[in-house]
Amino acid sequence: MLHERRVTRSVVGALALSAAMFVSAPRTATAQESADPIKLTLHDWTGQLITTEIMGEVLKKAGYSVEYVQADYLAQFAGLETGDLHVAMEMWETTGRDAMDASTATGKTEVFGPTGMQAKEEWWFPEYMKEKCPGLPNWEALKDEKCAEAFSTAETAPKGRYLGGPVTWGGFDDERVESLSLPFEVVHAGTDAALFAELESAYQRKAPIMLWIYAPHWAPAKYKGEWVAFPEYTKECYGDPKWGSNTDAAYDCGKPHGEIWKVGWVGVKDKWPGAYKAIKAFSLSNDEMGAMITEVDLNGKKVSEVVTEWMGKNEPRWSEWIKK
């Protein structure tokens, strides 16, 4: 009887263990994949919120648990390196390359590939300002005191005012002003929404404004204007003060441009191999993203509504991303 009780306990224990393993497995993922939530980071601009929610909702369709976590654009790498955060869907070549390279060099994060979108970020001015600063878009026109004053406000006069993005975006605009000896004062917008609200207000009044504009976005399509033509970016410009017109300072050039990358914790591919494959397969175009941002920022739709609409129209496409 003692032997029988031991056998019974052993069988019951095995069944309990089997049941526990079954419960912990994702609904459609293989038994080897974790049921822990995949944590995707959220930042402070509309396009990134859309990109991230599309990826998250696609992963949910594949049976994964997903968690959205608000995180600082550059400081998020500390969490990605420890595995406390898992996926960042937008790291822009224009502003995030240095932070991304430093993080991947640790071996704790990896680049999951391009998003398919091409990034451009630079100083931008409305077309009507060329009358007051006819040398534009050449950056050297900004060195003229009369031109700078044309972009001034009561708070910055006689210096011109440049409205930069939120401080968390990086971009080295303060350093750029100093290294190129521009008579401008950098003022940082508190949020993405505040940045474009100020553009809308100034444009309607034909008031002076010079600000950070980025693409993909609706603004370059809605408003007539141009990006300032700074000296072309090179790695040496940011890394070697001797490069460029100012041999004593770095950042004497424009911002870089190029890919928008997906990046994340190096453990994703082992913990959630199916999700890893889907994240790498994710791709959107600038035109698609610009149209979705327009729906949110200009037409008043919620991010979730726009994502749901995109999912409905593109099911054959995203289904391929999660296909086994």
Side-chain angles (χ1 to χ4, degrees):
M1 291 293 292
L2 179 61
H3 173 71
E4 289 177 358
R5 284 198 298 272
R6 284 176 177 167
V7 171
T8 302
R9 287 171 184 160
S10 178
V11 171
V12 170
L15 289 171
L17 178 61
S18 176
M21 290 176 65
F22 177 77
V23 170
S24 67
R27 291 190 300 277
T28 59
T30 64
Q32 289 75 30
E33 298 203 48
S34 173
D36 292 344
I38 302 172
K39 296 180 181 179
L40 284 74
T41 61
L42 296 175
H43 304 320
D44 53 358
W45 66 94
T46 303
Q48 196 273 346
L49 300 179
I50 293 171
T51 305
T52 304
E53 190 163 326
I54 287 175
M55 188 73 260
E57 296 309 300
V58 169
L59 292 176
K60 288 179 183 179
K61 293 289 187 182
Y64 293 97
S65 175
V66 170
E67 190 174 321
Y68 300 110
V69 181
Q70 194 71 39
D72 182 278
Y73 177 55
L74 298 178
Q76 69 179 329
F77 280 104
L80 293 171
E81 289 169 15
T82 60
D84 292 321
L85 301 173
H86 304 131
V87 182
M89 287 300 297
E90 288 193 19
M91 184 54 52
W92 289 44
E93 184 77 25
T94 48
T95 53
R97 169 53 80 175
D98 289 348
M100 186 169 68
D101 285 349
S103 183
T104 55
T106 67
K108 297 176 182 178
T109 60
E110 70 169 295
V111 176
F112 297 152
T115 60
M117 296 179 288
Q118 294 291 312
K120 182 175 177 64
E121 298 184 83
E122 198 53 271
W123 291 36
W124 185 97
F125 60 92
E127 186 178 65
Y128 59 77
M129 288 303 297
K130 291 185 82 169
E131 295 179 11
K132 299 179 179 180
C133 186
L136 289 172
N138 189 315
W139 72 274
E140 291 182 301
L142 301 178
K143 299 182 76 171
D144 186 294
E145 291 183 1
K146 290 183 179 179
C147 180
E149 192 168 0
F151 283 100
S152 69
T153 63
E155 292 76 23
T156 67
K159 288 185 176 182
R161 178 178 182 265
Y162 167 74
L163 182 63
V167 175
T168 56
W169 292 7
F172 303 107
D173 286 313
D174 296 274
E175 293 85 348
R176 185 168 292 104
V177 164
E178 184 175 352
S179 63
L180 291 174
S181 300
L182 299 178
F184 273 72
E185 185 175 323
V186 177
V187 177
H188 291 280
T191 65
D192 179 65
L195 184 71
F196 291 102
E198 189 154 344
L199 170 59
E200 174 71 25
S201 175
Y203 199 89
Q204 294 300 326
R205 295 179 289 113
K206 286 195 165 25
I209 189 166
M210 174 76 74
L211 75 164
W212 181 334
I213 291 283
Y214 61 86
H217 197 266
W218 51 262
K222 180 177 180 180
Y223 304 113
K224 290 184 179 180
E226 297 181 56
W227 276 288
V228 173
F230 285 111
E232 189 73 15
Y233 165 82
T234 70
K235 285 187 177 181
E236 291 77 14
C237 171
Y238 275 28
D240 181 4
K242 293 181 180 179
W243 183 96
S245 59
N246 186 342
T247 56
D248 294 321
Y251 310 108
D252 48 346
C253 63
K255 302 177 193 288
H257 50 84
E259 301 282 358
I260 300 176
W261 303 96
K262 299 163 290 190
V263 64
W265 177 48
V266 73
V268 170
K269 62 178 175 290
D270 294 322
K271 191 168 184 177
W272 302 283
Y276 177 76
K277 174 178 169 288
I279 294 162
K280 288 180 71 69
F282 173 102
S283 182
L284 291 174
S285 70
N286 277 37
D287 288 343
E288 284 181 288
M289 180 51 66
M292 286 190 280
I293 294 172
T294 297
E295 288 298 305
V296 174
D297 287 358
L298 298 185
N299 298 336
K301 290 186 177 180
K302 294 180 180 179
V303 169
S304 57
E305 289 180 80
V306 172
V307 170
T308 298
E309 288 176 9
W310 185 93
M311 295 279 287
K313 293 176 181 177
N314 293 274
E315 184 169 357
R317 182 170 158 196
W318 57 257
S319 293
E320 284 296 313
W321 301 349
I322 56 176
K323 188 176 180 179
K324 290 183 181 180

